[in-house]
Amino acid sequence: MNAIAFVHEQLTAKKEFPAFKPGDNITVNYKIIEGNKERIQSFKGDVIKKQGTGSTASFTVRKISDGVGVERVFPFFSPNIESIELNKTGQVRRAKLFYQRKRSGKSARIREKEWRWLKLRKPDSIKLVKSNPVLQRTGFFMPVN
């Protein structure tokens, strides 16, 4: 089985996408093939859920189009995904946002995560950086809860 997994790993192209989670607003640029023509169509909406692991992982994006909710499931390792852009980072407390299907208007909005800028000049702030993995990665900001 190792040989099969190795060949499968070599044949699947690995693309780098931004780290996103449910509640984030993203734009997925997807290749559409019509006959012998190929074009790129963008789908902008909120991530409702992420599911699966490995090559079967997928995510669902929901948007409102002409007053009707439209959801689309995208496999992570689809060769038709051109790119994914992160527009807004949402602040939600759940992993699956199925309650958004019942909502419309202002109640369907997802609050954007706020970011507080820190000045890393004092020794106390250096201790804060060592204890916070977000600050270790970025170096100068952290989310506000």
Side-chain angles (χ1 to χ4, degrees), residues 68-83:
V68 178
V70 179
E71 289 185 11
R72 187 157 183 190
V73 179
F74 295 99
F76 268 105
F77 297 106
S78 172
N80 293 331
I81 293 181
E82 186 70 25
S83 64

Side-chain angles (χ1 to χ4, degrees), residues 99-100 102-111:
Y99 65 89
Q100 288 287 76
K102 300 175 192 162
R103 297 188 177 195
S104 62
K106 286 189 176 181
S107 67
R109 290 184 297 183
I110 295 175
R111 195 168 76 184

Side-chain angles (χ1 to χ4, degrees), residues 13 57 64 76 85 96 118 126 128 134 143:
I64 305 296
F76 268 105
E85 301 167 12
K96 309 277 195 260
L118 295 178
I126 293 171
L128 180 68
V134 173

